[in-house]
Amino acid sequence: MPFLGQDWRSPGWRWVKTEDGWKRCEPFSPALEDGNNQLDDISHTVIITGDDENEEEYNSEDCEFAAKKRKKDHFRNNTDSQCFYREKWIYVHKESTKERHGYCTLGEAFNRLDFSSAIQDIRRFNYVVKLLQLIAKSQLTSLSGAAQKNYFNILDKIVQKVMEDQYNPRLIKDLLQDLSSTLCILIRGVGKSVLVGNINIWICRLETILLWQQQLKNLQMNKQVNNGLTLSDLPLHMLNNILYRFSDGWDIITLGQVTPTLYMLSEDRQLWKKLCQYHFAEKQFCRHLIPSEKGHIDWKLMYFALQKYYPIKEQYGDTLHFCRHCSILFWKDTGHPCTASDPNTCLMPVSPQHFIDLFKF
């Protein structure tokens, strides 16, 4: 029997289900070519600097193999590999039982909980970004190869959403900075087999991160043309009430740069005092008192000083929830197959850090 392809071990064609039936997915498309051309604009030379300020240069010769595989890797990394499961919940088990074998890993949970759709919800966007940032700092190597691929797929969608909607670019810049720093350290330690996959793939991913950082750096905010009521037309007490709703000091400073009136309101001592009291305890105040020139406490400087030593409270519009009765992790509005008589009494909101702690053994 003759072979039907160049390699009898080939997995065959990739098929996609559409409204008109099943169609064969072409490996290369004009959109893919445009993405590859954009990646080709980046220099193949990546400088990686360690803590000892010694620089290790990966020149174009070292990245030649990565350049040849760019189209193939770019296509693989941009497929919808995160939709392995349709359920939006996962059973969290840490040991084998008669009913279940093995245990649930961080990578498995990351693949199952549909974070790709969650970033389209403004209530969950900051939550997902914060979770990706925590994974980038300490848990990237604990993800499986499929989960790492899914991680960068979701990150790509986040960057594209920020570029289109211009929503909270500062948060994404912090995420990419932490991720690039982590990758530089891990690539230097590749001899210890700390990364899943070929080193050239990770260099390509690092180049993509540098491209994203450059795009966000050049991002220009669109001016809204509106002849109706604007923020500056609101009364002072309403503007002051808006500032008191913020829980992040950088958001207050950013809003204070809009108009002179908002700047005056953003420098109010009482505003920063309330912010410090919300995030920190009084015992922490006593250790970091910062008096001003007039002898008063400079609450604004104290807030940023305390932020360096203590974590601040996190606020999210929506979070993952954990059912203590069923040991199931899920998005609250999607629900889960709970067997408790009163499911609401068993629910517990899960912060990004708590999500990672659930899978530490």
Side-chain angles (χ1 to χ4, degrees):
M1 179 178 177
F3 292 136
L4 299 180
Q6 295 181 354
D7 190 347
W8 61 273
R9 297 167 297 178
S10 173
W13 294 101
R14 182 175 181 271
W15 295 84
V16 179
K17 188 176 183 180
T18 64
E19 295 180 356
D20 301 329
W22 289 88
K23 291 186 178 181
R24 192 173 69 191
C25 180
E26 297 295 336
F28 299 104
S29 63
L32 179 62
E33 292 292 339
D34 295 339
N36 290 328
N37 293 336
Q38 191 176 29
L39 286 173
D40 288 338
D41 294 336
I42 306 177
S43 173
H44 288 174
T45 301
V46 181
I47 304 297
I48 301 177
T49 305
D51 297 335
D52 56 355
E53 298 184 356
N54 292 329
E55 295 185 349
E56 181 176 350
E57 179 175 342
Y58 290 87
N59 53 36
S60 57
E61 184 178 355
D62 296 330
C63 297
E64 182 179 359
F65 178 73
K68 291 181 180 178
K69 295 185 61 180
R70 186 177 304 280
K71 290 184 179 180
K72 182 178 179 181
D73 295 336
H74 186 71
F75 171 73
R76 288 180 175 178
N77 289 332
N78 283 277
T79 54
D80 295 330
S81 61
Q82 61 270 21
C83 300
F84 295 115
Y85 303 90
R86 291 300 179 185
E87 302 90 348
K88 296 185 179 180
W89 53 267
I90 185 172
Y91 179 80
V92 180
H93 53 288
K94 296 186 177 182
E95 57 184 6
S96 298
T97 63
K98 294 181 179 180
E99 295 79 12
R100 296 178 180 270
H101 296 281
Y103 55 89
C104 181
T105 63
L106 177 63
E108 183 181 356
F110 191 79
N111 287 334
R112 291 278 295 267
L113 289 171
D114 194 17
F115 289 105
S116 181
S117 299
I119 61 175
Q120 304 302 326
D121 191 336
I122 193 173
R123 301 172 304 164
R124 300 173 180 173
F125 183 83
N126 290 356
Y127 181 89
V128 177
V129 172
K130 182 62 177 180
L131 177 59
L132 263 64
Q133 186 175 16
L134 292 177
I135 292 176
K137 288 182 177 180
S138 60
Q139 301 296 320
L140 191 61
T141 56
S142 66
L143 298 180
S144 63
Q148 290 176 353
K149 181 179 178 180
N150 187 16
Y151 180 95
F152 282 93
N153 285 336
I154 296 175
L155 184 58
D156 184 22
K157 293 184 177 181
I158 289 177
V159 174
Q160 299 307 319
K161 180 178 177 59
V162 173
M163 296 297 296
E164 295 174 1
D165 302 342
Q166 301 176 347
Y167 176 73
N168 207 346
R170 177 173 57 84
L171 189 64
I172 313 305
K173 290 179 181 179
D174 294 340
L175 166 60
L176 294 179
Q177 180 60 39
D178 291 337
L179 182 58
S180 62
S181 300
T182 301
L183 284 185
C184 288
I185 296 174
L186 294 179
I187 290 176
R188 290 173 62 90
V190 70
K192 301 178 182 179
S193 301
V194 294
L195 293 173
V196 178
N198 191 284
I199 179 63
N200 297 287
I201 296 177
W202 286 98
I203 293 178
C204 286
R205 287 174 175 172
L206 183 57
E207 290 178 349
T208 304
I209 294 173
L210 298 177
L211 171 64
W212 288 338
Q213 289 178 317
Q214 187 64 34
Q215 290 176 341
L216 292 173
K217 183 178 180 181
N218 299 331
L219 179 63
Q220 298 293 331
M221 296 295 179
N222 296 330
K223 293 184 179 180
Q224 300 292 334
V225 179
N226 190 357
N227 298 325
L229 187 67
T230 64
L231 186 65
S232 303
D233 297 327
L234 297 176
L236 288 178
H237 72 277
M238 294 186 66
L239 293 175
N240 196 45
N241 192 21
I242 292 174
L243 285 169
Y244 271 83
R245 301 288 180 178
F246 286 102
S247 61
D248 191 335
W250 284 111
D251 291 336
I252 295 177
I253 293 178
T254 302
L255 184 60
Q257 296 174 350
V258 177
T259 63
T261 302
L262 287 172
Y263 175 77
M264 177 191 67
L265 295 175
S266 67
E267 293 294 319
D268 182 28
R269 291 180 59 253
Q270 191 66 20
L271 171 65
W272 291 97
K273 180 179 180 180
K274 291 290 184 181
L275 193 63
C276 289
Q277 291 175 342
Y278 172 76
H279 287 289
F280 310 106
E282 291 188 10
K283 293 181 179 180
Q284 298 169 343
F285 293 166
C286 300
R287 299 176 183 176
H288 304 276
L289 289 176
I290 303 177
S292 62
E293 297 178 356
K294 298 181 180 180
H296 302 294
I297 298 177
D298 194 329
W299 292 103
K300 182 178 178 180
L301 291 179
M302 177 175 287
Y303 169 80
F304 290 104
L306 293 171
Q307 194 179 31
K308 297 179 181 179
Y309 298 99
Y310 309 104
I312 62 176
K313 293 182 180 179
E314 299 176 357
Q315 285 186 336
Y316 303 102
D318 190 17
T319 67
L320 287 168
H321 281 69
F322 180 74
C323 179
R324 292 186 292 267
H325 178 78
C326 307
S327 297
I328 288 179
L329 193 64
F330 65 101
W331 294 107
K332 189 174 182 180
D333 60 349
T334 60
H336 73 290
C338 187
T339 58
S341 57
D342 189 3
N344 292 330
T345 59
C346 306
L347 302 185
M348 178 180 64
V350 177
S351 66
Q353 184 60 54
H354 187 197
F355 176 87
I356 293 177
D357 294 339
L358 282 174
F359 303 97
K360 288 183 177 180
F361 304 102

